[in-house]
């Protein structure tokens, strides 16, 4: 089914973000013109009033750009082959990088202030909306660069995200999986949406067919994917070294104010629990063997059946399949979210 054949009630409505392409263009022009005002406070952030005004203005401009970005990104997601919206998305990404460069002086100026001044701003009720952000700047002082260096990194942001764009095109716009057969022997198109459903099939041939078709495509492009991923890793290593982090892991976790040791601890705990996972896989294999052969003690086959990744999602008990019409599923979610309050539920 093509998108223009889908009922409007089943498609997202982006008008509450931006009311159409014409409105987007007008707001985009306004944002391009207004964002230069963020540079007015360069060299003045030691003053309380200047800092408060600057941070508020930066937030207003960021919100305007975020709305434009969200609209362009979601319109591009509707059809990843649509060049018009790909161009719109590229424009707002470039503008975002330009805005980041214009406002890149803010953090270096704040880190240049003495710790006591920053602590006073954090404790000031007039900065209650920014106390965490200012605390984070104080915490990350050692990894914040000079004004000029931060501007260079900000300008690089536009193409630094290209690795995700390349894989996105490969994984969406250009993707073409080999069709597979369902339980009735009917030929069906494989997509990211149907893949998870086919892996839940009770027919192992259907599951295997979907799995092999999906990964045959990626295997055919393995060199492109590997080269793109290598570039992505090098980009992360560059940013980590530029900000004087010892490792990329430290760089990633520090951005979220999480110690790198917390990540390592999680990995270690998962490793300790692997015997339980292995036991579950053995049990799943035994149960699936009973379901598919109808025998609990079949003679040993010449080649013992081995569980595969495509066997990990099919239900082990009857009646576990859930298929709901969209309207019913929507109502179920809305009912479940009632405890969150009317304001939260209204956002649906």
């Amino acid at each position: 089914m093509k998108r223009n054949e889908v009922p409007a009630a089943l498609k997202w409505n982006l008008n509450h973000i931006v009311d159409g392409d014409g409105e987007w263009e007008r707001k985009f022009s306004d944002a391009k013109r207004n964002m230069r005002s963020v540079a007015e406070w360069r060299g003045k952030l030691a003053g309380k009033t200047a800092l408060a005004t600057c941070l508020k203005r930066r937030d207003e401009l960021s919100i305007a750009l975020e709305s434009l970005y969200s609209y362009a990104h979601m319109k591009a997601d509707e059809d990843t082959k649509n060049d018009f919206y790909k161009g719109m998305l590229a424009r707002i990404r470039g503008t975002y990088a330009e805005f980041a460069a214009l406002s890149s002086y803010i953090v270096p100026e704040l880190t240049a202030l003495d710790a006591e001044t920053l602590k006073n701003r954090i404790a000031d009720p007039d900065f209650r909306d920014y106390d965490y952000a200012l605390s984070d700047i104080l915490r990350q002082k050692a990894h914040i660069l000079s004004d000029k260096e931060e501007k260079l990194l900000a300008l690089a942001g536009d193409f630094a995200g290209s690795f995700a764009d390349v894989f996105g095109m490969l994984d969406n716009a250009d993707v073409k999986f080999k069709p597979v057969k369902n339980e009735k022997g009917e030929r069906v198109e494989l997509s990211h949406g149907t893949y998870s459903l086919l892996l839940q099939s009770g027919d192992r041939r259907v599951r295997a067919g979907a799995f092999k078709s999906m990964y045959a495509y990626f295997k055919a492009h393995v060199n492109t994917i590997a080269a793109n991923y290598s570039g992505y890793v090098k980009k992360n290593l560059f940013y980590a070294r530029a900000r004087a982090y010892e490792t990329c892991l430290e760089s990633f976790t520090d951005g979220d104010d999480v110690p790198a040791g917390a990540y390592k601890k999680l990995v270690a705990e998962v490793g300790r629990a692997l015997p339980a996972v292995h036991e579950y896989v053995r049990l799943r294999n035994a149960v699936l063997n009973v379901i598919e052969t109808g025998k609990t003690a079949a003679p040993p086959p010449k080649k013992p059946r081995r569980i595969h990744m495509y066997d990990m999602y099919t239900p082990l008990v009857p009646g576990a399949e859930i298929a709901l019409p969209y309207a019913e599923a929507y109502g179920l979610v809305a009912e479940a979210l009632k405890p969150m309050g009317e304001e939260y539920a209204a956002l649906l």
Side-chain angles (χ1 to χ4, degrees), residues 1 23 37 110 151 163 167 193 207 215 236 257 278 314 343:
M1 179 183 290
E23 180 70 10
S37 65
L110 292 176
K151 185 175 182 179
F163 304 104
F167 182 74
R207 302 196 301 269
Y215 286 97
N236 292 331
D257 195 9
H278 296 160
T314 184
E343 183 181 357

Side-chain angles (χ1 to χ4, degrees), residues 145-157:
L145 310 179
S146 69
D147 184 353
K148 290 184 178 180
E149 290 169 329
E150 287 290 345
K151 185 175 182 179
L152 280 174
L153 290 186
L155 287 171

Side-chain angles (χ1 to χ4, degrees), residues 179-190 198 203 206:
V180 298
K181 291 185 178 181
N182 62 15
E183 295 86 348
K184 298 178 181 179
E186 300 167 336
R187 175 181 160 131
V188 296
E189 292 296 326
L190 180 66
L198 291 168
D203 189 328
V206 172

